[in-house]
Amino acid sequence: MKKTNIKLADIAKICGVSTATVSLVLSDNPRISKETKKKVLDVIKRLGYYPNISARTLSTDTTKTLCVVLPQIPHVFSDPFFGEALSGVYDYASKNGYRILFEVATYEFCFYKRYLQLFKERSIDGMLYIGSTLNDTYLVDIEREGYPFILVGSYFPDGKGPQLSYVIGDNVKGGYLATKHLINLGHRRIAFITGHFKVISARDRFLGYKQALKEAGIQLDKSLIVKADFDEQTGYQAMRKLFDRFGNKVGKEDGFTAVFAGNDLMALGAIRAIKEKGLKVPEDVAVVGMDNIRMSSIGESPLTTVEYNVYQMGKIACQKIIEQIEKKSVYQIKEVLPVKLIIRNTCGAKSLKNV
């Protein structure tokens, strides 16, 4: 018997069960006993049988496939944020028998509404979009159609875009904790390196920064705010801009003595620029980042940061969308995960406990 000609009926005949039982084994139905499941799977493995995905979709009304959409940015797959989120999604999906289809939100993907075609072609059961921006208002199509869809690490504020499900960390609290920590250490002049405000997490971390300043009676100084783009090189360039603005006042009370960077990559870029300037971290300039990516804890100056569990965020988003798919019930999810301050070497407060 050729492997390409093997059918469910052949498997069933060899095992002495019905084709329906073989089909239930392939879908991991709990009604099938462990003994029967093992017998069927052993025969499937021995014969090298591969189920027909199209036929299985017709019979079960599910593809067991999720689409993960990523933004069109340079080196997205090597970016620590997206890598951690993807790991969380993949680990949960694979353990539950789901495959992952990757798409990048290119102009063609958006203009030709590929995000809708994938559902209408029955190529996927659900979609996760990691790191969308406030410009992605075309996603109102998804809201209108009611497909299983979750934003990971982003959301649209009420009245400012499609109201879609989301799983995100508490960015406002994160910005607040980072800034409040520096204030508690005696800093009054705290620079802020922010990501682009088309990304909701950048806006929310800025809100937390402002909230902590206001609470401490510190007036917001726009000259202390510099925009970057969530990567190490633009964080470095932003720090250089602050040097140009404040010159020899850097590290002094009439300039600034601390920096909160809106993510760890920008913070690491800022530290590189500070050291190139001949200044010390944290003695001259204290630095705090956010996200707690893996590389933030290594090197000669482990970074004080706010833990934003990106892996868990991806995992929970995947869990929620699979629940919706299998219950055949789409409802809005608004999940905000807690954050935590991680105190290391770059803020000058190693003796304090993490909060």
Side-chain angles (χ1 to χ4, degrees):
M1 185 184 301
K2 293 182 179 180
K3 290 184 178 182
T4 54
N5 295 328
I6 298 170
K7 300 177 181 178
L8 281 186
D10 300 320
I11 305 293
K13 184 177 180 180
I14 294 170
C15 295
V17 299
S18 68
T19 54
T21 297
V22 177
S23 181
L24 289 172
V25 169
L26 288 170
S27 62
D28 199 25
N29 193 295
R31 288 163 45 193
I32 306 301
S33 69
K34 291 182 179 179
E35 293 79 12
T36 299
K37 186 179 293 185
K38 183 178 185 306
K39 180 168 65 174
V40 171
L41 291 176
D42 285 346
V43 171
I44 286 172
K45 182 178 180 180
R46 176 163 55 86
L47 296 180
Y49 170 75
Y50 295 95
N52 185 308
I53 298 299
S54 298
R56 181 173 168 181
T57 298
L58 289 172
S59 63
T60 64
D61 197 33
T62 181
T63 67
K64 300 288 279 188
T65 302
L66 302 175
C67 178
V68 175
V69 182
L70 299 169
Q72 190 179 24
I73 59 175
H75 314 296
V76 64
F77 286 98
S78 62
D79 185 292
F81 177 90
F82 293 100
E84 284 292 304
L86 285 172
S87 294
V89 171
Y90 175 79
D91 287 352
Y92 191 87
S94 60
K95 286 179 182 177
N96 288 274
Y98 281 76
R99 299 174 301 157
I100 302 294
L101 169 68
F102 290 109
E103 291 280 356
V104 174
T106 61
Y107 171 80
E108 290 78 13
F109 179 84
C110 303
F111 182 81
Y112 293 107
K113 300 192 176 185
R114 176 69 176 154
Y115 51 92
L116 290 182
Q117 291 174 11
L118 288 166
F119 282 108
K120 292 179 178 180
E121 294 167 356
R122 299 182 70 190
S123 298
I124 62 171
D125 296 323
M127 184 176 288
L128 301 158
Y129 191 160
I130 302 175
S132 70
T133 73
L134 295 172
N135 294 339
D136 295 323
T137 53
Y138 64 86
L139 293 174
V140 70
D141 292 337
I142 294 287
E143 180 186 25
R144 190 180 299 119
E145 295 288 344
Y147 292 123
F149 182 97
I150 297 180
L151 295 167
V152 185
S154 62
Y155 70 97
F156 289 94
D158 292 341
K160 294 185 179 180
Q163 295 307 290
L164 297 163
S165 292
Y166 60 83
V167 178
I168 195 168
D170 194 339
N171 288 295
V172 176
K173 183 68 176 292
Y176 174 84
L177 286 176
T179 311
K180 180 69 173 177
H181 176 62
L182 290 168
I183 292 169
N184 288 343
L185 292 174
H187 298 282
R188 304 285 293 179
R189 299 281 293 171
I190 302 168
F192 180 46
I193 298 175
T194 177
H196 200 291
F197 280 172
K198 69 180 179 181
V199 180
I200 193 64
S201 61
R203 292 192 181 192
D204 284 353
R205 292 175 188 192
F206 179 55
L207 288 177
Y209 168 79
K210 290 199 300 181
Q211 181 183 335
L213 293 179
K214 183 177 180 181
E215 185 181 279
I218 301 172
Q219 186 173 358
L220 179 70
D221 183 346
K222 292 184 179 179
S223 70
L224 290 170
I225 301 166
V226 184
K227 288 186 179 180
D229 201 19
F230 292 110
D231 58 41
E232 195 268 352
Q233 184 59 27
T234 60
Y236 171 85
Q237 292 166 352
M239 194 69 225
R240 293 290 298 268
K241 288 180 183 177
L242 286 168
F243 289 145
D244 291 341
R245 285 181 191 175
F246 291 95
N248 59 10
K249 294 181 180 179
V250 175
K252 300 177 181 178
E253 287 301 327
D254 54 347
F256 62 91
T257 60
V259 176
F260 167 44
N263 79 346
D264 289 346
L265 287 177
M266 294 189 295
L268 293 172
I271 290 172
R272 177 161 66 92
I274 291 168
K275 290 182 176 180
E276 278 188 9
K277 190 73 172 175
L279 300 173
K280 294 182 180 180
V281 177
E283 291 85 353
D284 296 312
V285 183
V287 179
V288 176
M290 184 162 171
D291 283 347
N292 195 27
I293 61 175
R294 294 173 192 246
M295 66 178 71
S296 68
S297 63
I298 60 178
E300 60 182 37
S301 299
L303 179 67
T304 295
T305 185
V306 176
E307 185 175 76
Y308 184 89
N309 198 325
V310 183
Y311 176 89
Q312 189 70 7
M313 187 170 64
K315 181 179 177 180
I316 290 173
C318 189
Q319 176 189 354
K320 296 293 184 182
I321 203 164
I322 288 176
E323 286 176 0
Q324 290 196 353
I325 291 165
E326 298 187 347
K327 291 178 180 179
K328 299 186 184 300
S329 176
V330 177
Y331 47 89
Q332 190 176 15
I333 294 162
K334 297 181 178 181
E335 183 111 8
V336 181
L337 306 183
V339 295
K340 178 182 179 181
L341 179 67
I342 305 295
I343 300 171
R344 296 195 181 107
N345 294 12
T346 59
C347 62
K350 289 187 290 184
S351 62
L352 297 180
K353 293 182 178 180
N354 295 331
V355 294

